[in-house]
Amino acid sequence: MNIEAMHSRLADIEKTYNEISEQLMSEEVLANPREVTKISREQARLTALVEARHQLQELDSRIEQAHDLEKDDDPDMRDMAAEELKECEPQRQELLEKIQHMLIPQDPDDDHNVIMEIRGGAGGDEGNIFAGDLYRMYVRYAEGNGWKVDVLEASESEAGGFSQIIFEVKGHDVYKALKYESGAHRVQRVPKTESQGRIQTSTATVLCQPEAEDADIEIDPKDLTIETHRASGAGGQHINKTDSAVRIVHIPTGITVNCQEGRSQIENRETALRLIKSRVYEEYKRQKEEAEGKIRREKIGTGDRAEKIRTYNYPQNRVTDHRIGFTITQLDRVMEGKLQDVIAALQADDEKKKLEAAE
C-alpha cells in the first residue's frame, strides 16, 4: 500500500472513530446495552489505528522541520537536523510497517470464545479413538494458553475416544488461534487393535465456531421450536426414564441441535440454546460473506468437514497441513498440545494473502 493511500485510509478511520465516539454519548445508544457493547467494541478496535496516525503525523512534522533546517546557513543547525533525521526516519519506517499490518482486515470474531465439535470419521473404532486424541491435544493447547475448557456434550466410544464431543474454549483471542482447525483430520498409524502391525488411515472431523455473544445476534424465540424427549444411549441414571433430552430447531435456517448428556432438562436446554445461537450466527455470517463475494477464511479453508486439512503420520512423527504445505516432524509434541508452530504458520499465510489483497 502506498503512503498516499495509507494516509487516506487512516483519515477515514479517524473520521469513523469520531462518529462512533459521538454515538456512544447519545441517549438512544446508551439506552440499548446491546448497541453500547457493539459500538464500544468497534471503538476499541479503531483506537490503536487513530493513535498510530497521530504518531505518524508527529514524525512527519519533525522530519519536515528537519529538512528545512538542513538548508540553514548555520552548520550547528544542519548538524541538529541530521541528528533529528537519523532518529525520526527509522522510527517512521518502523511505524509505517506496523500500520500496514494493522490495516489488514481483522476478523471481528477473533476475540470470541469458541465452541468446537469433534466427530470420529472413517476407520470405525480407530476414528473415534483419534477423535479423543484430538480432543486431548486441544485441551492441552488450551491449558498452555491459560484458557478454560468445558465439555457441553459427549458420546464416548466403547473402544475409547468419542463418536462425538462438543466443548467450549474460553479465553483471550481463542477464535483467532483455533479458527483454522475446522475440517477433516487424517491419522496414519498402527491401531492398537491391529495384530499384523499394518498402518491404517482413519479420520476425525473438527468444527470450530465462534461462540455468539449477545451483541452479535438476537434470535426471535418465535423462530425456534423446542422439544423434549427421552435420552438414548449411554448416560446417567436419568436415561430413558425422563424427558431430559432437548431438541431445538431454528426454523428459518433448519439448523437443529440435540442435547442429552446434561444431568437435567434445564441443563440440556441451556446448552442447546448456546449451540443453536452460535450455529445460526455462523450461518448468517457465511450467507453475508457469500453475498459480498468474499472467500471465507481468506482461502486457507472453508471449514467444510469434508475438506482434508491435516495429516498426522505416526511412523514418521510428522504433521502436514495440506492447505499451506507446512510440515513439521514433531508429531509427539503436537499431540501434547504444542500447536504453536502449526497455528503460527497458518496465521502467517493468512496475513500474507491479506497483505497481497490490500496491495
Side-chain angles (χ1 to χ4, degrees):
M1 182 182 297
N2 61 48
I3 302 300
E4 185 177 338
M6 183 180 291
H7 277 293
S8 178
R9 283 279 304 279
L10 290 172
D12 289 342
I13 286 169
E14 183 158 9
K15 181 181 178 182
T16 301
Y17 175 85
N18 291 333
E19 291 172 351
I20 287 174
S21 298
E22 289 182 11
Q23 287 179 36
L24 279 172
M25 297 174 65
S26 71
E27 293 183 5
E28 184 180 350
V29 170
L30 291 172
N32 187 339
R34 185 189 298 273
E35 196 67 14
V36 169
T37 301
K38 181 180 178 181
I39 295 176
S40 296
R41 184 185 294 166
E42 178 67 7
Q43 184 190 49
R45 188 181 70 83
L46 299 178
T47 298
L49 278 165
V50 171
E51 291 175 350
R53 184 194 185 210
H54 294 166
Q55 293 171 17
L56 181 61
Q57 288 174 328
E58 182 183 351
L59 283 170
D60 283 344
S61 177
R62 288 172 62 184
I63 289 171
E64 184 179 354
Q65 291 174 22
H67 282 309
D68 288 340
L69 284 177
E70 282 183 315
K71 304 170 186 176
D72 200 286
D73 294 334
D74 187 338
D76 290 339
M77 298 298 286
R78 292 199 299 272
D79 289 344
M80 188 185 301
E83 286 297 319
E84 181 76 348
L85 290 171
K86 185 178 179 181
E87 177 185 346
C88 291
E89 287 181 336
Q91 289 182 15
R92 182 177 184 272
Q93 185 57 38
E94 184 179 340
L95 181 59
L96 287 172
E97 292 175 4
K98 178 183 175 182
I99 290 173
Q100 187 170 24
H101 283 273
M102 291 170 70
L103 285 172
I104 295 173
Q106 297 298 306
D107 188 333
D109 295 330
D110 277 351
D111 62 347
H112 283 37
N113 298 327
V114 305
I115 292 177
M116 299 189 75
E117 177 183 348
I118 306 176
R119 291 184 184 178
D125 289 342
E126 176 63 10
N128 293 337
I129 291 170
F130 181 49
D133 293 338
L134 289 177
Y135 168 67
R136 285 186 289 275
M137 176 185 76
Y138 290 125
V139 168
R140 288 166 182 161
Y141 178 67
E143 290 172 347
N145 284 286
W147 300 337
K148 182 182 178 183
V149 177
D150 290 323
V151 175
L152 303 178
E153 186 87 357
S155 298
E156 295 185 9
S157 170
E158 290 183 5
F162 303 94
S163 58
Q164 178 190 43
I165 182 166
I166 303 174
F167 56 100
E168 179 186 35
V169 186
K170 300 178 182 177
H172 177 66
D173 283 350
V174 179
Y175 187 67
K176 183 177 183 179
L178 294 176
K179 62 184 175 182
Y180 308 109
E181 296 304 299
S182 292
H185 294 240
R186 182 175 68 173
V187 62
Q188 295 173 328
R189 64 185 177 189
V190 179
K192 296 175 183 177
T193 55
E194 172 57 59
S195 59
Q196 302 295 322
R198 291 174 297 190
I199 295 173
Q200 178 178 321
T201 298
S202 305
T203 64
T205 59
V206 176
L207 181 64
C208 178
Q209 296 179 316
E211 182 173 19
E213 300 176 359
D214 288 341
D216 296 323
I217 186 173
E218 185 174 7
I219 296 179
D220 189 336
K222 295 177 182 177
D223 288 338
L224 300 177
T225 59
I226 302 176
E227 303 171 352
T228 58
H229 60 96
R230 292 190 179 184
S232 59
Q237 293 182 354
H238 65 283
I239 298 296
N240 292 329
K241 293 183 179 180
T242 62
D243 291 344
S244 58
V246 175
R247 181 185 296 109
I248 299 180
V249 179
H250 182 249
I251 299 168
T253 62
I255 293 172
T256 303
V257 167
N258 188 72
C259 291
Q260 65 176 34
E261 298 297 321
R263 296 180 180 273
S264 67
Q265 185 185 117
I266 293 175
E267 188 176 324
N268 284 325
R269 182 188 176 97
E270 289 176 351
T271 300
L273 284 170
R274 289 171 64 192
L275 290 176
I276 202 82
K277 188 174 183 180
S278 291
R279 292 182 183 177
V280 170
Y281 170 63
E282 180 77 352
E283 173 60 18
Y284 282 159
K285 186 175 73 168
R286 182 192 66 79
Q287 291 177 8
K288 181 174 180 290
E289 289 173 348
E290 282 189 358
E292 293 173 353
K294 294 181 180 177
I295 301 176
R296 304 185 71 213
R297 307 281 192 271
E298 298 299 325
K299 297 184 182 179
I300 281 186
T302 62
D304 188 340
R305 287 185 188 276
E307 180 185 16
K308 182 185 73 177
I309 66 167
R310 197 174 295 151
T311 294
Y312 303 74
N313 186 299
Y314 275 74
Q316 298 178 15
N317 196 37
R318 169 173 55 82
V319 178
T320 298
D321 195 289
H322 304 288
R323 295 165 294 181
I324 58 173
F326 177 82
T327 296
I328 184 171
T329 53
Q330 297 178 359
L331 171 62
D332 51 344
R333 294 183 73 252
V334 169
M335 298 311 293
E336 286 299 316
K338 302 297 190 297
L339 271 167
Q340 294 90 331
D341 291 342
V342 179
I343 289 174
L346 286 160
Q347 290 175 330
D349 189 81
D350 193 10
E351 187 171 293
K352 178 185 175 184
K353 286 184 170 68
K354 287 176 178 177
L355 274 172
E356 290 171 353
E359 292 173 358

